[in-house]
Structure formats: structure tokens, C-alpha cells
Amino acid sequence: MSDLFSTHAPPEAQQRAAELRAQLQHHAHQYYVLDAPSIPDAEYDRLFQALQALEAQYPELLTPDSPTQRVIGKVLEGFASVRHAVPMLSIRTETDTTAGGAQAFDARVRRELALAEGEPSPAYAAELKFDGLALNLRYEHGVLVQAATRGDGESGEDVTQNIRTIGQIPLRLKGCEATVLEVRGEVYMRRDDFEALNERQRGLIAAGAKNEKTFVNPRNAAAGAVRQLDPAIAAKRPLSFYAYGLGEVQGWAVPPTHSGLLDALAALGLPVCEHRTVAASADELVAFHTRMGQQRDALPFDIDGVVYKVNERALQERLGFVSREPRWAVAHKYPAQEQMTRLLDIDIQVGRTGKLTPVAKLEPVFVGGTTVSNATLHNEDEARRKDVRVGDTVIVRRAGDVIPEVVGVVLEKRPAEVGDAFDLYKRLSGQCPVCASPIAREEGEADWRCTGGITCPAQRKQALLHFAGRRAMDIEGLGDKLVDQLVDAGIVRTLPDLYKLGFVHLATLERMGEKSANNLVAAIEASKQTTLGRFLFSLGIRHVGETTAKDTAKHFGDITRIMDARLEELLEVPDVGPVVAASLRQFFDQPHHREVVEQLVACGVTWPAIEPQASDAPRPLLGKTLVLTGTLPTLSRDEAKALIEAAGGKVSGSVSKKTSYVVAGEEAGSKLDKARELGIAVLDEAGLQALLAQGAAGGEGGVEGGGDAVVSG
């Protein structure tokens, strides 16, 4: 007899089966009990299938406690155990993620039902396979009395108090007085809720909270919330639920089809997913699988496949079960969105805006339908939080067209010799890898950036597009495609190169006719006549917007004075705070930036002279922030704003602890209420005028609306 049908397992097969059982039990414990999966689902599936194959080849290896013979799980300490009246069994997974998976299921069902060739297939109910946590809801006389997790399939955990916090789950069913109705479904977390939860968790961690963590994926977060011992904490973690089946039933007429059952559950007030259909053939199953695969990334929640079930309950009973799985249902998965691979190195890429992004260089791995060899690590903080090191085995995720990312490290596979914790500044020796300019990270920001700006080749295209923009130098006709050609061809390397372009250069470019070339040359020439504010804005200095550029130009009146201004002088400009002032100073401290400005002026860029503001002019509101609300007796909103800014103050649209005064007129609304709540001084129009006239920095006392200079909040 060949080894394929051998009944005696050699020692190496026995050892391999024991290893596989141990690995599967370990990873199942991580996944189901600790809610901390250490490998992707696809890797677990591969181990499971390897054990199945060994047990099929050598039946003596099949043990009662094999993961292939039971649903793996364990009741957590702290929760009462619940014995399921009807076992919560899993369904078979079809490993073929192509159309063949649906066709194979249809062929098996036809064979089990002994259908002749040409005889139609039975109807199938097709629905989504949610990536969440299976749940059993027990209703008695229409009232929710218990909620339990699947656990090991025979017994689960009583999580009733936590499940009561899910608004989607009705505490009483509509129009149902059944003695017992157990509804089964999936608890999951929407992607937007997951992102909001992780953002909140990061805030708690940053604030020094202990025992807090971020979650790897929505399934992990949902499972952790359901198993949270404190219902008050569970209530803060947004969960959702979809019903899809039944457990024990007493005193309720079960519909004869699965599709009818879902309709009936929806009528009882239970949430049922709208993405479902009834298919009459394998081709229609394939069509559903394809359609949902195309929509997968647009869904508000994660799925990892679809589920097919024979629709008629009578046929389900006829088909029955094999081992731990029903013959009448199958899960048809999509290509895995997560896979394991090895991290070979970490490169640093410079983006169009100067942002420095660490990129993982990987051993090529097939994930999400394509081969991936690079994945983003987002920023230094994320790389450190995940403790990603060169040499690690990492989990890579790719969903649809989303850029592949490293979502975690498999610490148990970390080699003895592994790289140091990632340090972007140290890795680059403090310099941009493209232009060698210093790199910087502002306080409170996650990203490091190249300070090279307009002179950094990696930022060249973005700098040119910004420079030519309508609100900057306004060079009509210089758009994305043309900038790509000019830069890629090496014709334009710096901003002054634009003013050296002629018809001959442009005529060599693709799709550039004579008329277009002449028009662009004319637009470039016309842009030389500009304003100092536009010119300053066109340089693309970080944090310097259009209004700030105009105010800075008006204040100094000359580009040389701006470039040479000390930090404290820049802070005298209306609406320029420490961050903007530091950005201006940092930009003009780079010799190559000053050289670009000088070359542009040498090319003929000019602007009308501006008389700078007198530096000794009284500015009683310098450093103060005011908020305007309501209608003032004589001043319009714009007039009041102009007076405040001329006095050195800043006008904000919202009230905060940083607000110095609130100027309130008739029909003042919530901003006035907010000022009173925060204890911020309130002025009427007369009080504002008096403050400006007196050159006062503040005051107290007075009666609201009575014309006093300052009204306390």
C-alpha cells in the first residue's frame, strides 16, 4: 500500500502532527482567549490544513483533542460559564479563493444530494463572512436574558452585561413571545469606530495612563470590548452586531428557508446585513463572491469572505454534518489581507512636502492579491510603538488599493541578533537623504521633515506647482503634467529655471504646440510683476499662508528685511506666533533659500515698493487674542477686526482658554456663554474702543453692556 493510504504513521509524521497541534492550540489561545493574535489568519489556516492532511493520510494521528475535531477556545476567568443548548459549531473554509471555491461547494452539495447532470442545483443563501466575534443571544418570552460567546463550541462565557451596552441589540424583540429564541450572530467594530477608539487610546497613553494599549485590528478591539470585565469600560468601546442564525428554539415557527429566517429576524428588530442574496446556481454564487470582493474595501466593516448556505432547511437536515462542520454551508474566503514576512531593512523616503516616511523593505510576500516588497511604517513614533526592528518577522496588511503597511511584529519569531530600536534622526545623521539639508520635527508633530524646501529635489515638483499657483505667482498653464515633464527631463531644477525657459525648451515637450508654448512663455514673463506678499507666499514656507505672507510683507516692506529679521521682530507681525516665526527664521537661515530669492530677483521678479509700518506705532493688543460675537452698535465685524489687528491683536473664530477678551454685541450667542463659563473678560464696543484708546493691556470691573472699558466674565 502506498504511503498516501498508509495506516501506520512514521515517527516524523507523528512528531509533525504533535508540533502542529501544539502550534494551533497556542495560536488559538492567543486569538480566542487573549484577543492578541500573533499570526495572520492565513498562516493559521495553513497550519490547520497541514494537520488535516496528515490526519487524513494517517488516521491513527487523529486524537479526540485535535484542533480539527473541535472548536477551540476557553472560558476566561472572571466570566460565568454558559453551556450551549445547541453547540455553536464553525463551518468549513473553502481554501480556493477564486471562482473555483463556489463551484467546488456546489459540486459537493449536488453529489451529496445525488442530483443528476442537468438537474438544477438547490437554492443557496449567500451572505457576508464578518470578521468579529460569534455571539449567542438568548431571549425568553421576547426578553434578552443572556448573551454568551462561542467559547469551545460547547460552553462559552456569559457576557450579558457588556452586550447590553450595544445599542443595536434589542432588549425586547418586536412581536415575539417565544418561550425560548436563541439568536446567533457576530459582534464587530466598524472601521471608523475602530480608528476613533485607537485615537482615544493613543491620547490616554500620551497622557501617561497605565495598562492602556492600541489595537491591531477591529476584530481584536471588538473581542477585547466584549470580554472587558468592567461593563462601564465596555460601554465606551463602540460595538455593532449582525444576526445570521439560530440556536435553541421553543415556541417559535422557524421559517422554512435561511433567507426567510433572516427576514424574520429583521422583522423582530434585530440587525441583519443587507448585503445578501439567494443564488440559483454556482454561477450566481461566483457573481456574489466577485461583487462583494469589489465592494469589500468600501464597506464600513471588515469581512474576510462570504458564506454560502443551502437555503432550504429540509435540505440542510438531509445533508447533515461531517466531523465539526455542516455539509450544507461553506465560507468562501478572499485572498488574505495579512501575511507574515521578514523585514530586511528600513529606508527613508522624502515626500513632495518634505515629510520623511520610514519604509519597510521586505522579503517579497503575496498579500491582498499582489506581491509586496515594500510597506509603510508611517512615522518614527509608529515604528517605535510597534517595536519594528530589522530582522524581525512582521505582519503585513494590504487592503485593496491601500498602501501596504506593517501592522505588527511576531515577537516569538524575533532572532537573537536583531537591529536596534528605530531612530530616524540617528539613522540619517540629522540630514535629508536627498539634499543633505537638516531635518526637523516640530513639537507635538509625529513627522520629521526635510528643511530643504524649494531646493530639495524630492520636493521640486510640489514647490513648482505651489510657486505657479493662482494665489502665488499665478503662472497660467503650468499644471501637474507639464511640471512632471519639465522636472523629469531635467529642464527645470530650481525655481529660477522657470524664468530661463524659452520657446525652444517647451517645443520639445510632449503635446506642447506652438500656441501653448508661446502662451506659457508669456504667462511666465507676466508673473514677474507681482506683490511682495504673493512672492513670499509662493516660496512655500511651512506654516506661512496667504494672509500671513501679506501681513509680513506689509509689516517689513522689503524682502531683505524679512530675511534678516530677528525672531522677536517677526513676532511683531499680526497673526505671527512662535511657530510661524520659527518657520520663517529656519527657512531663511538656509543659505540656498536666500540664494534662490536673490536669483529670482535677478531674473526680473519685482513688486511695488511698500512703506513698512512704523515699528514704534502703539500696539496695545500685541500678543492678545480676541473673539467677536453678536452685532456691535457702530462697527462692522470687518472694521472691528481691522482695528484689533492694527493694534497688534489677533481675532479668533472660537473661544478657548487662550482667548484674552470676547467682544460681545447684540444677539451674542454661544461664544458669550463659553466666555462666561471659562471666566474670560467680556468687552462691549465702548470697552473695546476705550481699550484701544488707552493703550491698556487689560482691566476689570464694570457692568455688561454699560459702556465700561472692560466687563469681567
Side-chain angles (χ1 to χ4, degrees):
M1 183 177 294
S2 70
D3 286 345
L4 183 61
F5 302 102
S6 172
T7 57
H8 180 68
E12 58 267 28
Q14 297 177 35
Q15 181 180 351
R16 177 58 176 158
E19 290 172 352
L20 287 169
R21 282 195 294 270
Q23 289 179 51
L24 287 166
Q25 287 164 354
H26 167 74
H27 292 304
H29 180 79
Q30 294 286 115
Y31 187 87
Y32 290 105
V33 178
L34 301 182
D35 301 321
S38 54
I39 60 173
D41 288 352
E43 180 67 13
Y44 182 91
D45 290 344
R46 278 195 289 270
L47 296 173
F48 191 94
Q49 291 153 19
L51 181 57
Q52 277 185 319
L54 271 176
E55 291 173 346
Q57 185 174 359
Y58 304 111
E60 69 184 83
L61 297 179
L62 189 60
T63 60
D65 64 344
S66 171
T68 64
Q69 298 303 297
R70 58 181 293 177
V71 180
I72 303 174
K74 185 178 180 181
V75 176
L76 282 174
E77 292 183 7
F79 290 109
S81 177
V82 175
R83 184 78 177 177
H84 297 305
V86 176
M88 293 183 71
L89 302 179
S90 61
I91 60 176
R92 177 185 302 178
T93 297
E94 178 55 62
T95 57
D96 185 347
T97 60
T98 69
Q103 294 160 348
F105 173 64
D106 176 62
R108 282 198 300 272
V109 170
R110 293 180 60 85
R111 186 167 58 251
E112 294 287 346
L113 294 176
L115 296 179
E117 187 175 351
E119 193 174 352
S121 295
Y124 299 111
E127 56 198 60
L128 301 183
K129 184 179 184 299
F130 308 106
D131 196 7
L133 186 73
L135 192 72
N136 186 79
L137 304 176
R138 184 178 178 87
Y139 289 88
E140 294 181 359
H141 304 289
V143 177
L144 178 66
V145 296
Q146 189 181 74
T149 63
R150 184 171 68 176
D152 64 2
E154 298 292 336
S155 297
E157 305 149 0
D158 188 334
V159 291
T160 309
Q161 292 303 107
N162 289 346
I163 294 308
R164 286 179 179 273
T165 68
I166 302 176
Q168 282 185 316
I169 295 178
L171 300 181
R172 177 184 287 274
L173 299 176
K174 293 191 297 186
C176 178
E177 296 296 330
T179 305
V180 175
L181 181 62
E182 288 189 346
V183 178
R184 289 177 175 172
E186 198 92 357
V187 174
Y188 67 95
M189 188 174 288
R190 290 172 54 96
R191 291 173 185 155
D192 53 356
D193 288 334
F194 170 72
E195 293 300 332
L197 172 62
N198 261 354
E199 186 63 30
R200 187 163 65 249
Q201 292 298 107
R202 283 190 283 268
L204 291 173
I205 294 168
K210 295 182 178 180
N211 301 320
E212 295 291 349
K213 66 175 183 177
T214 55
F215 296 92
V216 174
N217 53 48
R219 191 269 168 202
N220 186 21
V226 169
R227 291 188 169 112
Q228 174 56 243
L229 290 174
D230 183 352
I233 296 177
K236 296 177 182 178
R237 298 184 179 175
L239 297 174
S240 299
F241 177 79
Y242 275 135
Y244 55 62
L246 295 176
E248 183 182 9
V249 178
Q250 295 180 27
W252 191 69
V254 181
T257 64
H258 182 72
S259 58
L261 168 63
L262 296 180
D263 291 337
L265 293 178
L268 295 177
L270 289 154
V272 176
C273 184
E274 62 181 356
H275 299 288
R276 52 193 170 95
T277 191
V278 174
S281 65
D283 288 343
E284 292 187 16
L285 292 179
V286 170
F288 181 77
H289 183 265
T290 302
R291 182 169 70 253
M292 296 316 306
Q294 293 168 343
Q295 298 178 27
R296 182 183 186 187
D297 298 326
L299 294 172
F301 47 81
D302 284 351
I303 63 171
D304 55 5
V306 297
V307 175
Y308 310 136
K309 299 173 182 176
V310 172
N311 200 30
E312 297 279 346
R313 278 201 310 119
L315 290 180
Q316 291 181 8
E317 293 172 3
R318 180 176 159 190
L319 287 163
F321 294 79
V322 56
S323 183
R324 67 188 190 110
E325 301 165 341
R327 288 189 174 95
W328 45 267
V330 74
H332 189 189
K333 287 196 171 185
Y334 293 114
Q337 291 185 309
E338 291 185 357
Q339 291 284 12
M340 290 195 309
T341 189
R342 197 163 67 91
L343 177 63
L344 303 177
D345 201 358
I346 299 177
D347 282 352
I348 315 295
Q349 289 186 351
V350 185
R352 287 162 62 96
T353 61
K355 175 184 173 181
L356 300 171
T357 301
V359 176
K361 311 298 289 185
L362 309 167
E363 279 188 355
V365 60
F366 192 78
V367 57
T370 190
T371 299
V372 169
S373 55
N374 297 314
T376 182
L377 289 166
H378 297 293
N379 54 57
E380 181 182 66
D381 290 347
E382 278 291 287
R384 283 179 171 273
R385 182 180 65 80
K386 295 169 182 172
D387 193 23
V388 177
R389 306 188 185 200
V390 174
D392 271 334
T393 296
V394 296
I395 298 173
V396 181
R397 178 176 176 83
R398 181 183 183 273
D401 295 329
V402 177
I403 297 172
E405 64 172 335
V406 172
V407 297
V409 175
V410 184
L411 291 176
E412 63 193 59
K413 290 182 175 287
R414 173 167 283 176
E417 298 295 327
V418 71
D420 296 331
F422 182 65
D423 186 324
L424 188 146
Y425 188 89
K426 182 178 179 182
R427 179 71 177 269
L428 296 178
S429 300
Q431 294 185 330
C432 171
V434 175
C435 70
S437 295
I439 63 173
R441 180 165 72 167
E442 294 176 7
E443 186 177 352
E445 287 206 355
D447 298 318
W448 286 91
R449 293 181 181 274
C450 164
T451 62
I454 56 179
T455 58
C456 179
Q459 302 175 62
R460 189 173 292 157
K461 292 180 180 179
Q462 180 66 27
L464 286 168
L465 287 169
H466 177 80
F467 183 82
R470 182 176 58 81
R471 294 181 300 155
M473 299 302 283
D474 194 18
I475 303 177
E476 188 176 351
L478 189 59
D480 293 70
K481 292 182 179 180
L482 187 53
V483 165
D484 285 343
Q485 289 191 70
L486 290 170
V487 172
D488 293 344
I491 298 173
V492 173
R493 292 184 173 85
T494 66
L495 297 181
D497 286 345
L498 281 174
Y499 293 99
K500 301 171 187 176
L501 284 176
F503 177 80
V504 175
H505 289 108
L506 296 174
T508 63
L509 300 178
E510 184 180 352
R511 297 181 181 177
M512 177 61 71
E514 181 178 343
K515 183 178 180 180
S516 297
N518 283 325
N519 287 342
L520 182 57
V521 170
I524 292 172
E525 184 63 27
S527 74
K528 291 180 180 180
Q529 305 301 316
T530 187
T531 67
L532 179 55
R534 278 179 172 269
F535 178 75
L536 186 61
F537 176 62
S538 75
L539 297 177
I541 304 170
R542 186 160 164 75
H543 300 305
V544 177
E546 187 178 7
T547 300
T548 301
K550 288 179 180 178
D551 290 345
T552 305
K554 182 179 179 181
H555 181 84
F556 289 101
D558 179 76
I559 189 63
T560 302
R561 289 191 64 210
I562 295 173
M563 291 194 295
D564 293 340
R566 300 189 308 276
L567 201 62
E568 54 269 27
E569 292 175 322
L570 290 168
L571 287 169
E572 294 177 1
V573 179
D575 209 27
V576 169
V579 172
V580 177
S583 186
L584 279 161
R585 188 66 271 137
Q586 185 182 65
F587 183 87
F588 288 118
D589 280 343
Q590 304 296 321
H592 43 267
H593 289 161
R594 300 175 72 101
E595 183 180 347
V596 166
V597 171
E598 292 166 0
Q599 288 180 3
L600 287 169
V601 172
C603 287
V605 176
T606 186
W607 48 84
I610 301 175
E611 187 66 31
Q613 292 180 343
S615 59
D616 56 351
R619 307 186 72 194
L621 296 182
L622 186 64
K624 303 295 182 181
T625 299
L626 288 80
V627 173
L628 300 170
T629 181
T631 303
L632 300 178
T634 65
L635 292 174
S636 70
R637 185 69 61 89
D638 288 341
E639 289 170 338
K641 181 179 179 182
L643 287 172
I644 292 168
E645 290 180 343
K650 174 183 177 181
V651 176
S652 174
S654 60
V655 179
S656 71
K657 292 181 179 179
K658 296 182 179 179
T659 303
S660 306
Y661 303 104
V662 169
V663 181
E666 291 185 9
E667 299 182 2
S670 59
K671 294 177 183 177
L672 179 58
D673 295 335
K674 181 77 171 185
R676 289 168 173 162
E677 180 185 330
L678 295 176
I680 294 168
V682 178
L683 306 176
D684 59 9
E685 182 180 314
L688 174 62
Q689 294 283 19
L691 184 65
L692 295 170
Q694 295 170 8
E700 294 182 4
V703 179
E704 185 167 357
D708 294 290
V710 176
V711 181
S712 67

mmCIF file of all heavy atoms in Angstrom, residues 41-58:
data_model
loop_
_atom_site.group_PDB
_atom_site.id
_atom_site.type_symbol
_atom_site.label_atom_id
_atom_site.label_comp_id
_atom_site.label_asym_id
_atom_site.label_seq_id
_atom_site.Cartn_x
_atom_site.Cartn_y
_atom_site.Cartn_z
ATOM 1 N N ASP A 41 -4.495 35.356 9.955
ATOM 2 C CA ASP A 41 -5.462 34.271 9.775
ATOM 3 C C ASP A 41 -4.990 33.274 8.719
ATOM 4 O O ASP A 41 -5.181 32.064 8.850
ATOM 5 C CB ASP A 41 -6.817 34.842 9.359
ATOM 6 C CG ASP A 41 -7.504 35.555 10.515
ATOM 7 O OD1 ASP A 41 -6.992 35.467 11.644
ATOM 8 O OD2 ASP A 41 -8.529 36.195 10.284
ATOM 9 N N ALA A 42 -4.388 33.801 7.642
ATOM 10 C CA ALA A 42 -3.958 32.920 6.547
ATOM 11 C C ALA A 42 -2.899 31.925 7.024
ATOM 12 O O ALA A 42 -2.877 30.767 6.603
ATOM 13 C CB ALA A 42 -3.420 33.754 5.385
ATOM 14 N N GLU A 43 -2.028 32.369 7.931
ATOM 15 C CA GLU A 43 -0.990 31.482 8.452
ATOM 16 C C GLU A 43 -1.628 30.391 9.321
ATOM 17 O O GLU A 43 -1.254 29.227 9.260
ATOM 18 C CB GLU A 43 0.030 32.283 9.257
ATOM 19 C CG GLU A 43 1.161 31.459 9.852
ATOM 20 C CD GLU A 43 2.105 30.868 8.816
ATOM 21 O OE1 GLU A 43 2.046 31.293 7.645
ATOM 22 O OE2 GLU A 43 2.905 29.985 9.180
ATOM 23 N N TYR A 44 -2.609 30.768 10.135
ATOM 24 C CA TYR A 44 -3.314 29.785 10.957
ATOM 25 C C TYR A 44 -4.018 28.757 10.066
ATOM 26 O O TYR A 44 -3.973 27.546 10.318
ATOM 27 C CB TYR A 44 -4.334 30.488 11.855
ATOM 28 C CG TYR A 44 -5.067 29.545 12.782
ATOM 29 C CD1 TYR A 44 -4.589 29.266 14.057
ATOM 30 C CD2 TYR A 44 -6.238 28.898 12.375
ATOM 31 C CE1 TYR A 44 -5.255 28.382 14.899
ATOM 32 C CE2 TYR A 44 -6.909 28.018 13.213
ATOM 33 C CZ TYR A 44 -6.407 27.767 14.466
ATOM 34 O OH TYR A 44 -7.068 26.893 15.300
ATOM 35 N N ASP A 45 -4.662 29.242 8.996
ATOM 36 C CA ASP A 45 -5.353 28.340 8.069
ATOM 37 C C ASP A 45 -4.388 27.334 7.462
ATOM 38 O O ASP A 45 -4.714 26.156 7.292
ATOM 39 C CB ASP A 45 -6.036 29.142 6.963
ATOM 40 C CG ASP A 45 -7.237 29.938 7.475
ATOM 41 O OD1 ASP A 45 -7.711 29.633 8.587
ATOM 42 O OD2 ASP A 45 -7.665 30.861 6.776
ATOM 43 N N ARG A 46 -3.174 27.788 7.128
ATOM 44 C CA ARG A 46 -2.189 26.884 6.519
ATOM 45 C C ARG A 46 -1.783 25.779 7.502
ATOM 46 O O ARG A 46 -1.658 24.613 7.129
ATOM 47 C CB ARG A 46 -0.959 27.668 6.053
ATOM 48 C CG ARG A 46 -1.129 28.342 4.695
ATOM 49 C CD ARG A 46 0.207 28.781 4.131
ATOM 50 N NE ARG A 46 0.747 29.913 4.864
ATOM 51 C CZ ARG A 46 0.508 31.178 4.554
ATOM 52 N NH1 ARG A 46 -0.271 31.480 3.542
ATOM 53 N NH2 ARG A 46 1.049 32.167 5.253
ATOM 54 N N LEU A 47 -1.561 26.153 8.768
ATOM 55 C CA LEU A 47 -1.208 25.159 9.779
ATOM 56 C C LEU A 47 -2.350 24.169 9.979
ATOM 57 O O LEU A 47 -2.134 22.957 10.093
ATOM 58 C CB LEU A 47 -0.883 25.860 11.104
ATOM 59 C CG LEU A 47 0.340 26.780 11.118
ATOM 60 C CD1 LEU A 47 0.433 27.519 12.447
ATOM 61 C CD2 LEU A 47 1.621 26.006 10.864
ATOM 62 N N PHE A 48 -3.579 24.685 10.014
ATOM 63 C CA PHE A 48 -4.762 23.840 10.208
ATOM 64 C C PHE A 48 -4.897 22.840 9.069
ATOM 65 O O PHE A 48 -5.138 21.645 9.273
ATOM 66 C CB PHE A 48 -6.006 24.740 10.296
ATOM 67 C CG PHE A 48 -7.245 24.020 10.743
ATOM 68 C CD1 PHE A 48 -7.612 24.011 12.077
ATOM 69 C CD2 PHE A 48 -8.051 23.354 9.832
ATOM 70 C CE1 PHE A 48 -8.756 23.351 12.502
ATOM 71 C CE2 PHE A 48 -9.199 22.692 10.236
ATOM 72 C CZ PHE A 48 -9.554 22.686 11.571
ATOM 73 N N GLN A 49 -4.709 23.320 7.839
ATOM 74 C CA GLN A 49 -4.846 22.436 6.669
ATOM 75 C C GLN A 49 -3.738 21.391 6.630
ATOM 76 O O GLN A 49 -3.962 20.251 6.202
ATOM 77 C CB GLN A 49 -4.855 23.279 5.391
ATOM 78 C CG GLN A 49 -6.120 24.125 5.233
ATOM 79 C CD GLN A 49 -5.898 25.371 4.414
ATOM 80 O OE1 GLN A 49 -4.926 25.482 3.667
ATOM 81 N NE2 GLN A 49 -6.798 26.338 4.544
ATOM 82 N N ALA A 50 -2.546 21.771 7.107
ATOM 83 C CA ALA A 50 -1.447 20.802 7.143
ATOM 84 C C ALA A 50 -1.766 19.668 8.111
ATOM 85 O O ALA A 50 -1.505 18.489 7.831
ATOM 86 C CB ALA A 50 -0.147 21.503 7.551
ATOM 87 N N LEU A 51 -2.359 20.005 9.259
ATOM 88 C CA LEU A 51 -2.738 18.971 10.223
ATOM 89 C C LEU A 51 -3.867 18.112 9.672
ATOM 90 O O LEU A 51 -3.859 16.875 9.827
ATOM 91 C CB LEU A 51 -3.152 19.607 11.549
ATOM 92 C CG LEU A 51 -3.545 18.637 12.675
ATOM 93 C CD1 LEU A 51 -2.415 17.657 12.968
ATOM 94 C CD2 LEU A 51 -3.939 19.397 13.933
ATOM 95 N N GLN A 52 -4.842 18.727 9.022
ATOM 96 C CA GLN A 52 -5.934 17.968 8.402
ATOM 97 C C GLN A 52 -5.394 16.943 7.405
ATOM 98 O O GLN A 52 -5.843 15.793 7.368
ATOM 99 C CB GLN A 52 -6.895 18.919 7.685
ATOM 100 C CG GLN A 52 -7.943 19.564 8.554
ATOM 101 C CD GLN A 52 -8.921 20.380 7.751
ATOM 102 O OE1 GLN A 52 -8.539 21.089 6.815
ATOM 103 N NE2 GLN A 52 -10.194 20.303 8.103
ATOM 104 N N ALA A 53 -4.411 17.379 6.589
ATOM 105 C CA ALA A 53 -3.850 16.487 5.571
ATOM 106 C C ALA A 53 -3.139 15.301 6.218
ATOM 107 O O ALA A 53 -3.260 14.152 5.762
ATOM 108 C CB ALA A 53 -2.887 17.267 4.669
ATOM 109 N N LEU A 54 -2.388 15.565 7.297
ATOM 110 C CA LEU A 54 -1.691 14.473 7.988
ATOM 111 C C LEU A 54 -2.688 13.480 8.587
ATOM 112 O O LEU A 54 -2.501 12.262 8.511
ATOM 113 C CB LEU A 54 -0.807 15.059 9.100
ATOM 114 C CG LEU A 54 0.619 15.449 8.727
ATOM 115 C CD1 LEU A 54 1.321 16.087 9.907
ATOM 116 C CD2 LEU A 54 1.411 14.232 8.242
ATOM 117 N N GLU A 55 -3.752 13.993 9.201
ATOM 118 C CA GLU A 55 -4.743 13.113 9.823
ATOM 119 C C GLU A 55 -5.509 12.306 8.778
ATOM 120 O O GLU A 55 -5.919 11.177 9.034
ATOM 121 C CB GLU A 55 -5.702 13.938 10.677
ATOM 122 C CG GLU A 55 -5.035 14.519 11.918
ATOM 123 C CD GLU A 55 -5.929 15.478 12.681
ATOM 124 O OE1 GLU A 55 -6.953 15.898 12.108
ATOM 125 O OE2 GLU A 55 -5.600 15.818 13.836
ATOM 126 N N ALA A 56 -5.686 12.910 7.591
ATOM 127 C CA ALA A 56 -6.353 12.169 6.516
ATOM 128 C C ALA A 56 -5.445 11.054 5.993
ATOM 129 O O ALA A 56 -5.903 9.950 5.666
ATOM 130 C CB ALA A 56 -6.727 13.115 5.393
ATOM 131 N N GLN A 57 -4.148 11.320 5.942
ATOM 132 C CA GLN A 57 -3.203 10.318 5.441
ATOM 133 C C GLN A 57 -2.939 9.218 6.474
ATOM 134 O O GLN A 57 -2.815 8.043 6.129
ATOM 135 C CB GLN A 57 -1.876 11.000 5.075
ATOM 136 C CG GLN A 57 -0.862 10.070 4.424
ATOM 137 C CD GLN A 57 0.375 10.810 3.954
ATOM 138 O OE1 GLN A 57 0.468 12.019 4.104
ATOM 139 N NE2 GLN A 57 1.320 10.088 3.384
ATOM 140 N N TYR A 58 -2.882 9.618 7.757
ATOM 141 C CA TYR A 58 -2.614 8.660 8.838
ATOM 142 C C TYR A 58 -3.716 8.803 9.885
ATOM 143 O O TYR A 58 -3.567 9.556 10.865
ATOM 144 C CB TYR A 58 -1.251 8.934 9.482
ATOM 145 C CG TYR A 58 -0.104 8.928 8.497
ATOM 146 C CD1 TYR A 58 0.562 10.116 8.184
ATOM 147 C CD2 TYR A 58 0.316 7.746 7.882
ATOM 148 C CE1 TYR A 58 1.626 10.131 7.292
ATOM 149 C CE2 TYR A 58 1.377 7.751 6.982
ATOM 150 C CZ TYR A 58 2.024 8.946 6.686
ATOM 151 O OH TYR A 58 3.056 8.943 5.796
#
